[in-house]
mmCIF file of all heavy atoms in Angstrom:
data_model
loop_
_atom_site.group_PDB
_atom_site.id
_atom_site.type_symbol
_atom_site.label_atom_id
_atom_site.label_comp_id
_atom_site.label_asym_id
_atom_site.label_seq_id
_atom_site.Cartn_x
_atom_site.Cartn_y
_atom_site.Cartn_z
ATOM 1 N N ARG P 218 19.298 8.383 2.616
ATOM 2 C CA ARG P 218 20.588 8.602 1.961
ATOM 3 C C ARG P 218 20.312 8.935 0.507
ATOM 4 O O ARG P 218 19.659 8.150 -0.187
ATOM 5 C CB ARG P 218 21.378 7.297 2.061
ATOM 6 C CG ARG P 218 22.868 7.512 2.052
ATOM 7 C CD ARG P 218 23.543 6.179 2.262
ATOM 8 N NE ARG P 218 24.355 5.861 1.109
ATOM 9 C CZ ARG P 218 24.820 4.660 0.823
ATOM 10 N NH1 ARG P 218 24.503 3.618 1.577
ATOM 11 N NH2 ARG P 218 25.569 4.473 -0.225
ATOM 12 N N LEU P 219 20.764 10.083 0.050
ATOM 13 C CA LEU P 219 20.512 10.480 -1.346
ATOM 14 C C LEU P 219 21.456 9.725 -2.274
ATOM 15 O O LEU P 219 22.663 9.716 -2.069
ATOM 16 C CB LEU P 219 20.686 11.983 -1.534
ATOM 17 C CG LEU P 219 19.508 12.867 -1.120
ATOM 18 C CD1 LEU P 219 19.718 14.291 -1.575
ATOM 19 C CD2 LEU P 219 18.177 12.337 -1.656
ATOM 20 N N LEU P 220 20.866 9.067 -3.276
ATOM 21 C CA LEU P 220 21.647 8.274 -4.228
ATOM 22 C C LEU P 220 21.672 8.998 -5.555
ATOM 23 O O LEU P 220 20.826 8.770 -6.410
ATOM 24 C CB LEU P 220 20.973 6.921 -4.452
ATOM 25 C CG LEU P 220 21.046 5.871 -3.371
ATOM 26 C CD1 LEU P 220 20.382 4.609 -3.872
ATOM 27 C CD2 LEU P 220 22.481 5.597 -2.982
ATOM 28 N N GLN P 221 22.600 9.884 -5.744
ATOM 29 C CA GLN P 221 22.691 10.526 -7.050
ATOM 30 C C GLN P 221 24.021 11.249 -7.113
ATOM 31 O O GLN P 221 24.662 11.489 -6.089
ATOM 32 C CB GLN P 221 21.534 11.487 -7.271
ATOM 33 C CG GLN P 221 21.462 12.620 -6.273
ATOM 34 C CD GLN P 221 20.050 13.149 -6.168
ATOM 35 O OE1 GLN P 221 19.123 12.460 -5.774
ATOM 36 N NE2 GLN P 221 19.879 14.391 -6.540
ATOM 37 N N ASP P 222 24.448 11.534 -8.293
ATOM 38 C CA ASP P 222 25.719 12.228 -8.439
ATOM 39 C C ASP P 222 25.615 13.608 -7.811
ATOM 40 O O ASP P 222 24.610 14.301 -7.959
ATOM 41 C CB ASP P 222 26.078 12.358 -9.930
ATOM 42 C CG ASP P 222 26.170 10.988 -10.578
ATOM 43 O OD1 ASP P 222 26.402 10.014 -9.835
ATOM 44 O OD2 ASP P 222 25.990 10.894 -11.808
ATOM 45 N N GLU P 223 26.669 13.964 -7.118
ATOM 46 C CA GLU P 223 26.692 15.275 -6.460
ATOM 47 C C GLU P 223 26.448 16.390 -7.473
ATOM 48 O O GLU P 223 25.804 17.382 -7.189
ATOM 49 C CB GLU P 223 28.064 15.511 -5.803
ATOM 50 C CG GLU P 223 28.341 14.641 -4.588
ATOM 51 C CD GLU P 223 27.544 15.083 -3.375
ATOM 52 O OE1 GLU P 223 27.235 16.278 -3.271
ATOM 53 O OE2 GLU P 223 27.195 14.220 -2.545
ATOM 54 N N ASP P 224 27.002 16.199 -8.672
ATOM 55 C CA ASP P 224 26.954 17.293 -9.632
ATOM 56 C C ASP P 224 25.791 17.151 -10.626
ATOM 57 O O ASP P 224 25.700 17.913 -11.577
ATOM 58 C CB ASP P 224 28.293 17.387 -10.394
ATOM 59 C CG ASP P 224 28.599 16.074 -11.103
ATOM 60 O OD1 ASP P 224 27.879 15.078 -10.837
ATOM 61 O OD2 ASP P 224 29.540 16.042 -11.913
ATOM 62 N N ALA P 225 24.951 16.151 -10.411
ATOM 63 C CA ALA P 225 23.818 16.002 -11.317
ATOM 64 C C ALA P 225 22.892 17.202 -11.140
ATOM 65 O O ALA P 225 22.597 17.607 -10.018
ATOM 66 C CB ALA P 225 23.069 14.707 -11.017
ATOM 67 N N SER P 226 22.429 17.760 -12.222
ATOM 68 C CA SER P 226 21.513 18.890 -12.104
ATOM 69 C C SER P 226 20.213 18.352 -11.530
ATOM 70 O O SER P 226 19.807 17.227 -11.812
ATOM 71 C CB SER P 226 21.281 19.531 -13.468
ATOM 72 O OG SER P 226 20.479 18.693 -14.259
ATOM 73 N N ALA P 227 19.555 19.124 -10.703
ATOM 74 C CA ALA P 227 18.434 18.604 -9.930
ATOM 75 C C ALA P 227 17.202 18.321 -10.792
ATOM 76 O O ALA P 227 16.540 17.323 -10.614
ATOM 77 C CB ALA P 227 18.092 19.568 -8.819
ATOM 78 N N GLU P 228 16.929 19.181 -11.767
ATOM 79 C CA GLU P 228 15.716 19.016 -12.574
ATOM 80 C C GLU P 228 14.505 18.713 -11.704
ATOM 81 O O GLU P 228 13.875 17.659 -11.820
ATOM 82 C CB GLU P 228 15.916 17.944 -13.666
ATOM 83 C CG GLU P 228 17.103 18.315 -14.568
ATOM 84 C CD GLU P 228 17.079 17.678 -15.941
ATOM 85 O OE1 GLU P 228 16.378 16.671 -16.107
ATOM 86 O OE2 GLU P 228 17.745 18.199 -16.849
ATOM 87 N N ALA P 229 14.251 19.653 -10.819
ATOM 88 C CA ALA P 229 13.125 19.499 -9.910
ATOM 89 C C ALA P 229 12.371 20.819 -9.833
ATOM 90 O O ALA P 229 12.859 21.855 -10.298
ATOM 91 C CB ALA P 229 13.617 19.096 -8.517
ATOM 92 N N CYS P 230 11.155 20.756 -9.263
ATOM 93 C CA CYS P 230 10.386 21.969 -9.023
ATOM 94 C C CYS P 230 10.209 22.136 -7.524
ATOM 95 O O CYS P 230 9.992 21.157 -6.802
ATOM 96 C CB CYS P 230 9.020 21.898 -9.696
ATOM 97 S SG CYS P 230 9.085 21.630 -11.487
ATOM 98 N N GLY P 231 10.316 23.355 -7.059
ATOM 99 C CA GLY P 231 10.101 23.633 -5.646
ATOM 100 C C GLY P 231 9.277 24.885 -5.505
ATOM 101 O O GLY P 231 8.780 25.425 -6.498
ATOM 102 N N PRO P 232 9.133 25.362 -4.260
ATOM 103 C CA PRO P 232 8.335 26.566 -4.045
ATOM 104 C C PRO P 232 8.881 27.750 -4.844
ATOM 105 O O PRO P 232 8.140 28.690 -5.142
ATOM 106 C CB PRO P 232 8.459 26.827 -2.539
ATOM 107 C CG PRO P 232 8.982 25.556 -1.948
ATOM 108 C CD PRO P 232 9.698 24.817 -3.020
#
Side-chain angles (χ1 to χ4, degrees):
Chain P
R218 207 176 118 197
L219 279 190
L220 286 184
Q221 61 204 63
D222 301 337
E223 290 286 331
D224 58 350
S226 72
E228 302 203 340
C230 302

